[in-house]
């Protein structure tokens, strides 16, 4: 990467690292060595127990509200970062528990046996401090596959499909030189080992909720440094202006601010959105709907009465409609007016971005604060790591929007 200026041209030796969210399917023979001999594996679990054993964070409840793996009847030797208390409480209340770090041990053994890397570590509680080597951690934003889905994924030609289970993991690379072919060969070897073949007792795959996060930074030896501020200001502006267009290239579940993505993929635009315009709101219509006795907005809409109040970031049009005719097509004049209003809305965002990002007194911390909606990591582009203390990890810019992938060629 080259940065041009009137004084000189500086070459920045970039590094990159990738976080691969995935699901590991495995045969029971790989699990048994990591369980106490007295452990009983329960494969058929009622939904109420699956909900009680849930390991996903609360923000994912709308789509991943239950545990989808086998249950185990003995304490784990490998507790999750929440500690053994969580597993012990599950055992006491339900007579069984979900996985601890047993599946991490399975994948670590797979990689070591394949000699894909001799430096895999498993330290779930210290992920952010372990960047020198390949790193494995559990992922509390995902769940394993159902038995039906898993049978389809691993193939019905495999014998003993009832002896297969799955669990979510995340595989994190160390910082790698961006311009060296060896970096990509190393990634390809690791991913090939994880994916497995039809002859293996494991198979890694991705589902619709898996993501792939790419970190761009400077070499580890210069973690106390970061990119020049003018470069970051221009990059920030470009990502804000083109966020809608870029998001349209990704599947719906990888787009910002959807209920089913939890808090992982928020927009970077939040602090730059215009305040809602209530000037066109028909407040009599609003009062009519809220005084009409409908049990919900959905019920009101079914009756042809609908109110949509403008929201911050809701687009250029902030009007209230009392009757919706779904078969009607907007006139050409109306479409042109709507398009003009959207352009004006985008222009207001761009103006605020210019004023904020390129303020004369702007600093790295101020820029990162604005682009992360006040310091939130779960944005489409995570800017918070650029301003963190180097002792907490490399200063990187993290691109989080890409869907999950385990193919190095992509």
């Amino acid at each position: 990467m080259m940065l041009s200026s009137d004084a000189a041209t500086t070459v920045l030796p970039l590094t990159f690292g990738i976080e691969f969210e995935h699901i590991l399917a495995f045969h029971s023979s790989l699990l048994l060595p990591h369980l106490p001999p007295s452990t009983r594996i329960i494969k058929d679990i009622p939904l109420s127990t699956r909900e009680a054993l849930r390991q996903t964070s609360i923000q994912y409840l709308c789509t991943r509200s239950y545990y989808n793996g086998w249950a185990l009847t003995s304490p784990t030797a490998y507790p999750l970062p929440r500690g053994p208390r969580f597993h012990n409480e599950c055992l006491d209340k339900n007579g069984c528990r979900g996985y601890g770090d047993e599946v991490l041990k399975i994948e670590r053994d797979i990689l070591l046996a394949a000699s894909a890397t001799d430096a895999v570590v498993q330290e779930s509680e210290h992920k952010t401090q372990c960047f020198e080597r390949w790193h494995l951690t559990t992922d509390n934003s995902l769940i394993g596959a159902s038995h039906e889905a898993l049978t389809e994924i691993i193939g019905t030609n495999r014998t003993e499909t009832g002896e297969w289970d799955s669990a979510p993991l995340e595989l994190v690379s160390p910082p790698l030189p961006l311009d060296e072919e060896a970096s990509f060969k190393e990634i390809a070897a690791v991913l090939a080992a994880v994916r497995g073949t039809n002859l293996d007792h494991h198979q890694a795959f991705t589902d619709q909720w898996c993501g792939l996060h790419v970190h761009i930074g400077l070499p580890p030896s210069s973690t106390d440094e970061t990119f020049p501020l003018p470069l970051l200001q221009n990059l920030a502006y470009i990502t804000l202006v083109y966020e809608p267009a870029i998001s349209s290239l990704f599947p719906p579940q990888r787009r910002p601010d959807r209920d089913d993505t939890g808090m992982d993929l928020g927009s970077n635009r939040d602090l730059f959105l215009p305040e809602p315009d209530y000037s066109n709101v028909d407040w009599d219509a609003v009062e009519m709907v809220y005084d009409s006795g409908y049990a919900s907005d959905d019920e009101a809409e079914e009756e042809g009465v609908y109110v949509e109040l403008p929201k911050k970031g809701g687009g250029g049009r902030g009007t209230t409609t009392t009757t919706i005719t779904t078969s009607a097509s907007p006139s050409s004049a109306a479409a042109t007016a709507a398009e003009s209003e959207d352009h004006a809305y985008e222009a207001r965002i761009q103006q605020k971005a210019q004023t904020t990002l390129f303020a004369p007194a702007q600093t790295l911390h101020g820029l990162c604060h604005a682009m992360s909606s006040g310091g939130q990591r779960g944005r489409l582009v995570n800017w918070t790591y650029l301003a963190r203390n180097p002792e907490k990890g490399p200063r990187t810019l993290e691109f989080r929007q890409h869907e999950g992938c385990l193919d190095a060629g992509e």
Side-chain angles (χ1 to χ4, degrees), residues 1 3 10 12 218 226-234 364 367:
M1 179 182 223
L3 175 66
T10 303
L12 301 177
L218 297 176
T226 189
F227 301 103
L229 184 59
L231 182 143
L232 294 175
Q233 289 171 305
N234 282 284
L364 172 63
L367 180 71

Side-chain angles (χ1 to χ4, degrees), residues 22-244:
H22 62 284
I23 313 295
L24 181 69
F26 53 90
H27 190 271
S28 59
S29 60
L30 299 183
L31 174 64
L32 292 175
H34 300 290
L35 300 177
S38 61
T39 303
R40 185 165 61 93
I41 298 175
I42 305 175
K43 300 177 182 178
D44 187 13
I45 312 172
L47 180 59
S48 59
T49 302
R50 292 189 181 279
E51 291 174 340
L53 299 183
R54 175 185 62 84
Q55 296 179 349
T56 48
S57 298
I58 192 170
Q59 64 261 38
Y60 307 106
L61 287 183
C62 62
T63 55
R64 287 147 276 182
S65 61
Y66 50 86
Y67 172 75
N68 225 9
W70 291 336
L72 308 170
T73 60
S74 64
T76 179
Y78 316 114
L80 292 172
R82 281 175 284 182
R85 178 180 175 183
F86 170 75
H87 299 288
N88 292 337
E89 289 178 350
C90 288
L91 283 171
D92 292 341
K93 293 179 181 179
N94 306 288
C96 59
R97 63 170 176 88
Y99 291 122
D101 279 356
E102 290 89 357
V103 184
L104 277 172
K105 302 294 185 181
I106 293 174
E107 185 159 312
R108 181 200 60 182
D109 293 346
I110 290 167
L111 290 169
L112 293 176
S115 299
T117 173
D118 60 358
V120 176
V121 296
Q122 180 268 305
E123 296 179 72
S124 296
E125 295 180 87
H126 305 291
K127 173 185 171 183
T128 55
Q129 280 76 40
C130 299
F131 289 99
E132 296 81 10
R133 302 181 291 175
W134 283 88
H135 178 83
L136 277 168
T137 183
T138 52
D139 194 312
N140 65 2
S141 69
L142 304 170
I143 60 175
S146 66
H147 175 70
E148 294 76 13
L150 187 57
T151 299
E152 182 177 349
I153 290 167
I154 66 175
T156 55
N157 59 325
R158 291 185 193 258
T159 60
E160 300 181 313
T161 55
E163 292 297 317
W164 285 72
D165 196 20
S166 66
L169 297 174
E170 184 175 79
L171 179 63
V172 184
S173 80
L176 300 168
L178 185 60
D179 57 352
E180 292 186 11
E181 185 178 354
S183 299
F184 297 93
K185 288 183 177 180
E186 180 177 346
I187 291 174
V190 170
L191 294 184
V194 171
R195 289 197 310 270
T197 70
N198 288 335
L199 300 178
D200 291 320
H201 281 178
H202 74 275
Q203 180 177 332
F205 59 93
T206 60
D207 66 8
Q208 63 175 326
W209 306 117
C210 291
L212 182 146
H213 305 159
V214 180
H215 292 254
I216 302 296
L218 297 176
S221 60
S222 58
T223 52
D224 57 333
E225 301 176 5
T226 189
F227 301 103
L229 184 59
L231 182 143
L232 294 175
Q233 289 171 305
N234 282 284
L235 179 60
Y237 183 75
I238 290 171
T239 59
L240 288 176
V241 170
Y242 292 103
E243 182 180 290

